[in-house]
């Protein structure tokens, strides 16, 4: 009888132990992870002196509560405001290697793409460097979790990503119901001359899709992530919406002088919009702010205050 009564209690306690072990990740070092350039990077212990070579990486570090470990940042890292007071180590493609070495970092966070030569140079100097190069919104979330593991704060990474996923889901619960035929076509201006846009292998394309739009450059299969686009092709595709970042105000002014611009459906309907570049060009936590902003632009009725939008 006693055994019968004890069994449910033992089972309950066992489940509690198992559940706690699953919910409480243990950060184990030495830790070896593969970065987005395919390199294996090993850290013997959680880094205490971190240099960030990209604004997005800086924002990730601060979102994870690792700002106090940041000893240097690139000259473009300006968010959060506390990052502005950190020692500067040059630009993203022209960092000051001597300055970086003088800061004695036990981890440098870089990006892929244009920073590949920088990564290789730092590696040759014996500096532990890890490259992050996400190309989708999901990839950005994975990068945050990766940095959390590198920093020994995996639990915090889960918390940050869970909140971001919740906000993404709040958007996609609305936009996911929109049939493809009713999704507005979108053209994204990256650069005016030559005209450049965002292709299918970019997180901007991912943002447009999640926000309930159709990227008119989403079917381009060329080698460039941000391909050139002719005005003739833009006129032929005639998008419903045109989006540029706020640093492209002058760009739209230049484009408005080109033949065919004023005939575009988006121009005639007054659906040429501007968004904060820091929210959509930096693959960090604020990318979700960018997603919410784009969704409101593409589908105002769904995200108005009356509809319960943010």
């Amino acid at each position: 009888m006693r055994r019968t009564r004890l069994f449910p209690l033992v089972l309950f306690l066992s489940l509690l132990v198992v559940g706690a072990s699953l919910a409480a990740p243990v950060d184990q070092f030495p830790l070896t992870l593969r970065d987005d350039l395919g390199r294996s990077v090993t850290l013997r212990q959680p880094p205490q002196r971190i240099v960030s070579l990209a604004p997005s990486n800086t924002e990730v570090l601060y979102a994870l509560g690792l700002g106090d470990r940041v000893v240097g940042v690139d000259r473009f890292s300006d968010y959060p405001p506390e990052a502005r007071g950190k020692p500067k180590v040059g630009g993203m493609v022209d960092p000051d290697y001597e300055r970086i070495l003088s800061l004695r970092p036990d981890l440098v966070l870089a990006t892929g793409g244009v920073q590949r030569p920088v990564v290789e140079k730092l590696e040759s100097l014996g500096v532990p460097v890890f490259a992050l190069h996400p190309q989708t919104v999901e990839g950005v979330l994975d990068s945050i979790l990766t940095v959390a593991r590198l920093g020994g704060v995996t639990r915090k990474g889960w918390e940050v990503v869970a909140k971001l996923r919740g906000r993404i889901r709040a958007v996609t619960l609305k936009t996911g119901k929109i049939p493809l035929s009713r999704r507005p076509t979108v053209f994204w201006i990256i650069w005016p001359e030559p005209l450049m846009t965002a292709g299918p292998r970019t997180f901007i394309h991912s943002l447009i899709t999640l926000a309930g739009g159709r990227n008119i450059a989403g079917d381009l299969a060329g080698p460039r992530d941000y391909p050139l686009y002719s005005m003739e092709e833009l006129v032929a595709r005639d998008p419903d919406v045109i989006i540029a970042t706020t640093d492209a105000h002058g760009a739209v002014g230049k484009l408005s002088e080109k033949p065919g611009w004023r005939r575009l459906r988006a121009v005639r309907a007054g659906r040429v919009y501007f968004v904060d570049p820091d929210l959509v060009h930096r693959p960090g936590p604020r990318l979700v702010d960018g997603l919410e902003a784009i969704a409101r632009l593409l589908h105002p009725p769904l995200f108005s205050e009356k509809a319960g939008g943010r």
Side-chain angles (χ1 to χ4, degrees):
M1 186 70 171
R2 182 175 298 173
R3 180 178 299 175
T4 303
R5 290 177 178 175
L6 284 176
F7 178 74
L9 178 60
V10 172
L11 177 61
F12 174 71
L13 292 174
S14 299
L15 290 174
L16 278 181
V17 172
V18 172
S21 65
L22 291 175
V26 178
D27 296 301
Q28 296 182 340
F29 288 80
L31 174 69
T32 299
L33 295 178
R34 188 174 295 274
D35 72 4
D36 287 341
L37 294 180
R39 303 162 54 256
S40 289
V41 179
T42 298
L43 297 180
R44 298 193 177 281
Q45 59 188 10
Q48 301 301 312
R49 300 183 62 80
I50 304 173
V51 169
S52 170
L53 293 184
S56 54
N57 293 346
T58 303
E59 294 189 21
V60 169
L61 288 164
Y62 274 90
L64 292 171
L66 298 173
D68 59 337
R69 301 193 206 172
V70 176
V71 296
V73 297
D74 68 284
R75 72 168 68 100
F76 303 106
S77 287
D78 57 4
Y79 187 90
E82 305 93 277
R84 298 172 187 166
K86 296 291 184 177
K88 299 300 185 288
V89 297
M92 294 180 62
V93 297
D94 58 344
D96 185 335
Y97 295 105
E98 290 186 7
R99 179 65 166 154
I100 293 173
L101 290 173
S102 72
L103 294 171
R104 297 177 289 105
D106 44 18
L107 177 64
V108 173
L109 280 184
T111 69
V114 296
Q115 278 196 337
R116 182 184 289 268
V118 174
V119 171
E120 293 172 351
K121 175 66 174 180
L122 288 170
E123 189 174 40
S124 71
L125 293 172
V127 178
V129 54
F130 195 95
L132 301 166
H133 192 58
Q135 294 180 289
T136 64
V137 173
E138 187 63 31
V140 171
L141 300 182
D142 288 343
S143 289
I144 294 172
L145 291 174
T146 296
V147 175
R149 291 187 64 192
L150 291 169
V153 291
T154 301
R155 180 192 288 273
K156 179 64 175 179
W158 284 10
E159 293 173 356
V160 170
V161 168
K163 290 178 181 179
L164 293 175
R165 286 192 191 280
R167 292 169 58 192
I168 292 170
R169 180 169 173 75
V171 171
T172 57
L173 280 175
K174 296 179 179 181
T175 61
K177 300 174 183 178
I178 305 171
L180 190 63
S181 60
R182 291 180 52 202
R183 291 176 172 240
T185 53
V186 180
F187 181 73
W188 194 284
I189 299 174
I190 294 292
W191 197 256
E193 292 182 331
L195 186 58
M196 185 182 298
T197 190
R201 296 185 303 274
T202 64
F203 51 82
I204 289 177
H205 172 81
S206 182
L207 286 173
I208 293 171
T209 302
L210 290 172
R214 287 183 289 158
N215 180 12
I216 66 169
D219 58 354
L220 297 182
R224 299 182 62 167
D225 292 341
Y226 296 95
L228 299 179
Y229 212 83
S230 70
M231 179 59 71
E232 292 74 19
E233 183 67 14
L234 178 58
V235 171
R237 292 289 186 97
D238 199 15
D240 299 307
V241 175
I242 294 173
I243 298 179
T245 51
T246 48
D247 59 352
H249 274 289
V252 172
K254 294 176 182 178
L255 291 172
S256 66
E257 300 170 0
K258 294 184 178 295
W261 173 264
R262 298 187 186 280
R263 298 201 311 270
L264 291 170
R265 182 185 295 115
V267 176
R268 289 186 284 108
R271 301 201 71 184
V272 178
Y273 302 125
F274 301 93
V275 296
D276 184 343
D278 292 348
L279 302 184
V280 292
H281 288 174
R282 297 181 178 184
R286 290 196 295 165
L287 208 62
V288 178
D289 294 349
L291 170 63
E292 292 166 343
I294 296 167
R296 287 193 296 269
L297 294 176
L298 298 186
H299 303 285
L302 289 181
F303 295 93
S304 66
E305 291 186 8
K306 178 180 283 189
R310 287 176 61 89

